[in-house]
């Protein structure tokens, strides 16, 4: 059932480290996902509009526009309303709790990620979390 | 004629009393004016001592130094006669029994002496004495003048006394004011110094925070390439890059373990820097122990099972709440449990115990492991300390972080080895204030 709902899903991987993007691609592509990449927050928003991915895998600390700013813009700006149902999985080496606290302090809104995966990451664990996030939203949409 | 002279003299005396507050000058002007006004040989003011036991020369005119210095005069008979409202007149000094210093008086050429009281209101303060070189008497007019002069002298003495008191008070006030000014200067100086010290401290604190921030940022930058390397290795190790020979797999596994250790070390250093900067902990709030214990046990469950180590729980029901940061408490308990399982050989026992005490919660982790050599005990919670009997790799930061987190909760942490209950392994204990008590302690 999970395989069926997530197969062929398009995933936007946002990370400033090219090797990390590459390795994540190697983990996701064999599982049948279509992977697109962005090297920072600005590129991520461009790709988001152009590619309409089913899920975004988002790093937090990046140059130019970081992951916090991406989450903030998606939350605040009207033009991104169509993406409200798109699951966002944060993949960062920043510990989850301080990241959530910092975001809450800076924006006064709750951190809107669907899941939070701390680096280092293993393929098995990452695939499991990505599939779970996709399954949750597709179930929600069916309701 | 005498009256005229007397009035003129009185006028001068009164002027002296008013114009100068220096008592000696006033008395001197009195004896001089009196001598001249009544045409006497000399005149003296003898003041009564405080105990009224003696009369002493205070000012004189027309008398020799020897005579004046003859000694104090007994006032007894004078006081008695004054009390009767009389003046004391001795018309022939050589024949008068009341004369105390007869020889001195004769040698001085004194024949008669008249003493009039110096009264300040009802109080006798001294005697104005007029000396003559012939036997003489005094007119009523003269006596009135002498009494007035004597009383003016008494008034001058009184004013001088008051003035002296005022002068003294003034002097004290001036001293006080100067002292206050000095204190004010010192106070300003101290305030200035305090401000400087405070600024210095703020600068130091900012420097320390900058350094801690630098450690944190550097830690993150160190971690990023390692995380990428580790991700690649995980891709290969989990078979996403195709079949690989066993030998390569083994090498990669070892490499991956080392990379993971390094990531762990950097994470710990970052945790320490954030603990030092006061940023790792979130606000302490009422926290249930349930999930802290469950999640911590989950972390060690697999390894314990592999090593056939029994995990025993001794928990009160229901579990008490504590004031804390759930994630950090989990970090503490996980660290202690991982250590216990790591340093306990196969077939051993690790016990997790929670005890409720009247004012705190006691959490203990007991093991039947290799224990801690006595010489290591004092350094157990130091940064980068590694036990002298351990072979398992570690960062030497775990217990240092444990200690900081527990102390940030207002608790204590300590270790005993061998465990006092079993005589083997070790027992790690930490306390947490009961819910509602951490705040009070924090205020002390």
């Amino acid at each position: 059932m999970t395989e069926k709902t997530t197969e062929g899903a398009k995933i936007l991987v946002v990370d400033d480290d090219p090797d990390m993007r590459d390795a994540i691609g190697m983990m996701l592509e064999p599982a049948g996902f279509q992977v697109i990449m962005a090297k920072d927050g600005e590129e991520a928003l461009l790709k988001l509009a152009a590619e309409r991915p089913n899920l975004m895998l988002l790093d937090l600390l990046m140059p130019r526009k970081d992951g916090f700013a991406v989450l903030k813009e998606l939350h605040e700006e009207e033009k991104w309303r169509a993406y409200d149902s798109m699951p966002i999985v944060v993949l960062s080496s920043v510990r989850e709790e301080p990241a959530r606290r910092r975001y809450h302090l800076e924006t006064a809104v709750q951190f809107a990620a669907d899941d939070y995966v701390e680096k280092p990451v293993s393929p098995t664990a990452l695939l499991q979390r990505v599939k779970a996030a996709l399954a949750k939203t597709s179930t929600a949409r069916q309701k | 004629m005498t009256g005229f002279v007397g009035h003129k003299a009185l006028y001068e005396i009164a002027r002296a009393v008013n114009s100068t507050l220096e008592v000696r000058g006033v008395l001197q002007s009195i004896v001089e004016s009196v001598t001249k006004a009544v045409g006497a040989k000399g005149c003296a003011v003898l003041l009564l001592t405080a105990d009224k036991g003696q009369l002493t020369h205070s000012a004189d005119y027309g008398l020799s130094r020897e005579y004046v210095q003859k000694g104090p005069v007994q006032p007894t008979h004078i006081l008695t006669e004054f009390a009767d409202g009389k003046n004391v007149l001795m018309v022939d000094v050589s024949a008068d029994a009341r004369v105390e210093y007869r020889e001195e008086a004769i040698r001085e050429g004194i024949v008669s002496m008249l003493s009039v009281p110096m009264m300040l209101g009802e109080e006798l303060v001294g005697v104005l004495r007029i000396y003559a070189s012939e036997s003489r008497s005094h007119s009523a007019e003269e006596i009135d003048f002498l009494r007035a002069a004597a009383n003016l002298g008494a008034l001058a003495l009184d004013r001088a006394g008051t003035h002296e008191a005022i002068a003294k008070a003034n002097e004290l006030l001036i001293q006080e004011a100067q002292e206050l000014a000095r204190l004010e200067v010192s106070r300003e100086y101290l305030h200035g110094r305090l401000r400087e010290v405070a600024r210095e401290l703020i600068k130091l604190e900012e420097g320390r925070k900058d350094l801690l921030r630098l450690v944190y940022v550097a830690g993150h930058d160190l971690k990023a390439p390692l995380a990428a390397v580790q991700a690649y290795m995980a891709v290969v190790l989990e078979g996403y890059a195709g079949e690989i020979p066993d030998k390569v797999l083994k090498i990669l596994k070892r490499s991956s373990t080392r990379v993971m250790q390094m990531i762990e070390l950097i994470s710990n250093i970052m945790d320490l820097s954030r603990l030092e900067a006061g940023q790792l902990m979130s606000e302490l709030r009422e926290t249930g122990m349930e999930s802290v214990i469950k999640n911590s046990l989950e972390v060690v469950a697999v390894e314990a099972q592999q090593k056939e180590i029994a995990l025993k729980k001794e928990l009160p029901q229901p579990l008490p709440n504590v004031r804390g940061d759930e994630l950090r408490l989990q970090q503490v308990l996980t660290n202690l449990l991982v250590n216990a399982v790591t340093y306990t050989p196969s077939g051993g026992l690790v016990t997790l115990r929670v005890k409720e005490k009247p004012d705190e919660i006691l959490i203990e982790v007991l093991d039947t492991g290799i224990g801690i050599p006595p010489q290591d005990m004092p350094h157990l919670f130091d940064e980068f300390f590694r036990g002298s009997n351990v072979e398992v790799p570690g960062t030497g930061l775990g217990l240092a972080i444990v200690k900081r987190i527990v102390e940030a909760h207002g608790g204590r942490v300590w270790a005993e080895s061998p465990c006092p209950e079993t005589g083997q392994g070790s027992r790690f204990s930490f306390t947490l204030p009961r819910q509602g008590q951490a705040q009070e302690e924090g205020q002390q």
Side-chain angles (χ1 to χ4, degrees), chain B residues 70-91:
Chain B
K70 64 191 188 294
V73 176
Q74 288 297 320
T76 329
H77 72 91
I78 295 174
L79 290 180
T80 317
E81 292 181 52
F82 280 169
D84 292 339
K86 293 187 233 167
N87 301 312
V88 179
L89 179 65
M90 295 175 249
V91 287

Side-chain angles (χ1 to χ4, degrees), chain B residues 91-167:
Chain B
V91 287
D92 185 1
V93 167
S94 63
D96 201 312
R98 296 172 298 182
V99 178
E100 211 176 330
Y101 298 93
R102 183 169 305 143
E103 280 177 27
E104 287 87 346
I106 293 166
R107 203 179 306 134
E108 185 70 10
I110 295 165
V111 176
S112 69
M113 284 195 290
L114 173 69
S115 301
V116 293
M118 296 171 71
M119 301 297 291
L120 185 68
E122 296 295 305
E123 191 196 357
L124 179 75
V125 295
V127 171
L128 182 72
R129 189 169 268 187
I130 299 94
Y131 305 86
S133 42
E134 71 283 334
S135 178
R136 62 171 291 183
S137 61
H138 299 270
S139 65
E141 215 177 3
E142 263 183 349
I143 296 290
D144 280 349
F145 159 69
L146 291 171
R147 285 200 164 222
N151 290 343
L152 274 173
L155 188 65
L157 281 167
D158 183 53
R159 290 184 54 160
T162 310
H163 171 73
E164 269 165 33
I166 289 170

Side-chain angles (χ1 to χ4, degrees), chain B residues 192-299:
Chain B
R193 281 294 297 151
L194 271 177
R195 272 194 296 273
E196 276 171 40
V197 169
R199 269 196 295 273
E200 206 62 33
L201 277 175
I202 288 167
K203 227 192 284 173
L204 278 174
E205 179 59 19
E206 278 169 0
R208 200 180 71 98
K209 286 253 164 88
D210 281 348
L211 200 63
L212 291 169
R213 225 176 344 256
L214 177 75
V215 168
Y216 184 77
V217 172
H220 183 266
D221 288 351
L222 284 170
K223 236 166 116 175
L226 288 172
V229 169
Q230 188 280 331
Y232 273 136
M233 284 180 163
V235 166
V236 177
L237 282 170
E238 293 186 29
Y240 287 78
E243 286 291 310
I244 42 166
D246 278 355
K247 197 172 177 184
V248 178
L249 195 69
K250 208 171 136 192
I251 292 167
L252 267 182
K253 261 188 186 155
R254 288 199 173 192
S255 303
S256 176
T257 306
R258 297 303 297 272
V259 170
M260 288 295 274
Q261 283 166 10
M262 196 152 167
I263 291 173
E264 181 67 17
L265 170 64
I266 295 167
S267 295
N268 281 344
I269 291 173
M270 287 166 78
D271 275 0
L272 265 182
S273 78
R274 291 181 70 91
L275 270 171
E276 280 294 315
Q279 290 172 339
L280 186 67
M281 305 258 302
S282 60
E283 210 176 306
L284 302 185
R285 51 176 165 262
E286 183 163 1
T287 303
M289 296 282 293
E290 207 81 47
S291 64
V292 172
I293 288 171
K294 184 172 154 279
N295 293 340
S296 306
L297 282 171
E298 253 171 35
V299 175

Side-chain angles (χ1 to χ4, degrees), chain A residues 95, chain B residues 268 271-272 274-276 279-282 284 292 323-335 381 397-413 430-433:
Chain A
R95 285 194 195 272
Chain B
N268 281 344
D271 275 0
L272 265 182
R274 291 181 70 91
L275 270 171
E276 280 294 315
Q279 290 172 339
L280 186 67
M281 305 258 302
S282 60
L284 302 185
V292 172
R323 238 182 100 74
D325 176 335
E326 188 174 334
L327 278 169
R328 300 284 80 86
L329 288 179
Q330 203 171 298
Q331 195 176 353
V332 168
L333 194 54
T334 303
N335 192 294
F381 296 95
L397 287 175
L399 287 177
I401 292 171
V402 161
K403 185 171 193 282
R404 278 179 166 75
I405 293 175
V406 169
E407 285 175 355
H409 278 80
R412 293 162 289 129
V413 60
F430 68 99
T431 64
L432 292 172

Side-chain angles (χ1 to χ4, degrees), chain A residues 69-89:
Chain A
V70 170
L71 286 171
K72 189 166 182 277
E73 181 164 340
L74 290 180
H75 175 82
E76 284 174 356
E77 288 190 21
E78 208 48 46
K79 60 174 173 175
W80 299 114
R81 285 293 69 81
Y83 294 82
D84 280 353
S85 59
M86 178 192 69
I88 299 171
V89 174

